[in-house]
Amino acid sequence: MNIRNATMEDLEILTAIEAACFPPAEAATRESFAKRLAVYPNHFWLLEEDGQVVSFVNGMVTDEPLLRDEMFEDAALHNEDGAWQMIFGVNTLPEYRRRGLAGVLLERAAADARAQGRKGCVLTCKDRLIHYYEKFGYRKEGVSQSVHGGVVWYDMRLTFGKTGDER
């Protein structure tokens, strides 16, 4: 198992994994990933097994406390010095699921955000995944204003404590 940040050379595999993980209305497009990779490739965490990318987490950094739908498409909203690490997607190829890979990446993204002096991490999820993210210290803040993909999302926040221990 190897964890690394993304490069533009990962564009095709990231697009393919996203398409395998999300319905078309929710999946990021190749064009969107290209814009993100051009601006914040170091906020993509990729997990490889036997040299193949099988899981990834990605998102931008901002001072805004909530994830807005515009952030998915406008990479220029990224602020490398921002307070919050947004998590846009948690993706694992179906045949690699239920092995803890996404959890390893969520922990790594949080550890990197903590080390970078962020206040915490923010994501949105569907109702059925609230319990999953709570296992990593995220707290439900209610129904999100996001209408991404035409579904109901919930705001989830992981806030780092003064000692760096968010749990």
Side-chain angles (χ1 to χ4, degrees), residues 34-118:
K35 290 176 185 175
R36 294 177 193 179
L37 287 168
V39 177
Y40 48 89
N42 56 324
H43 295 278
F44 278 75
W45 293 268
L46 283 57
L47 188 144
E48 296 175 320
E49 284 204 353
D50 300 320
Q52 175 188 351
V53 177
V54 298
S55 185
F56 74 94
V57 168
N58 78 107
M60 63 175 281
V61 177
T62 179
D63 278 327
E64 296 184 42
L66 295 174
L67 196 156
R68 295 185 293 123
D69 288 345
E70 294 80 10
M71 292 175 181
F72 292 115
E73 296 303 321
D74 190 353
L77 294 173
H78 173 75
N79 171 7
E80 187 61 35
D81 297 321
W84 297 99
Q85 173 67 59
M86 298 290 150
I87 303 292
F88 291 163
V90 178
N91 302 265
T92 301
L93 286 171
E95 60 269 30
Y96 288 88
R97 291 182 184 158
R98 303 215 180 281
R99 294 176 42 196
L101 304 179
V104 168
L105 288 176
L106 283 167
E107 293 283 355
R108 174 65 176 272
D112 286 356
R114 189 180 314 109
Q116 294 161 358
R118 315 268 183 235

Side-chain angles (χ1 to χ4, degrees), residues 21-23 26 87-92 97-98 102-103 106 123-140 151-157:
C21 294
F22 287 97
E26 298 170 27
I87 303 292
F88 291 163
V90 178
N91 302 265
T92 301
R97 291 182 184 158
R98 303 215 180 281
L106 283 167
L123 59 81
T124 58
C125 71
K126 295 174 184 168
D127 184 46
R128 66 182 170 80
L129 292 171
I130 291 170
H131 178 70
Y132 175 76
Y133 290 110
E134 287 177 337
K135 292 190 304 188
F136 297 97
Y138 284 83
R139 300 290 177 247
K140 182 176 84 169
V151 298
V152 175
W153 299 94
Y154 289 83
D155 290 321
M156 303 289 290
R157 180 177 314 275

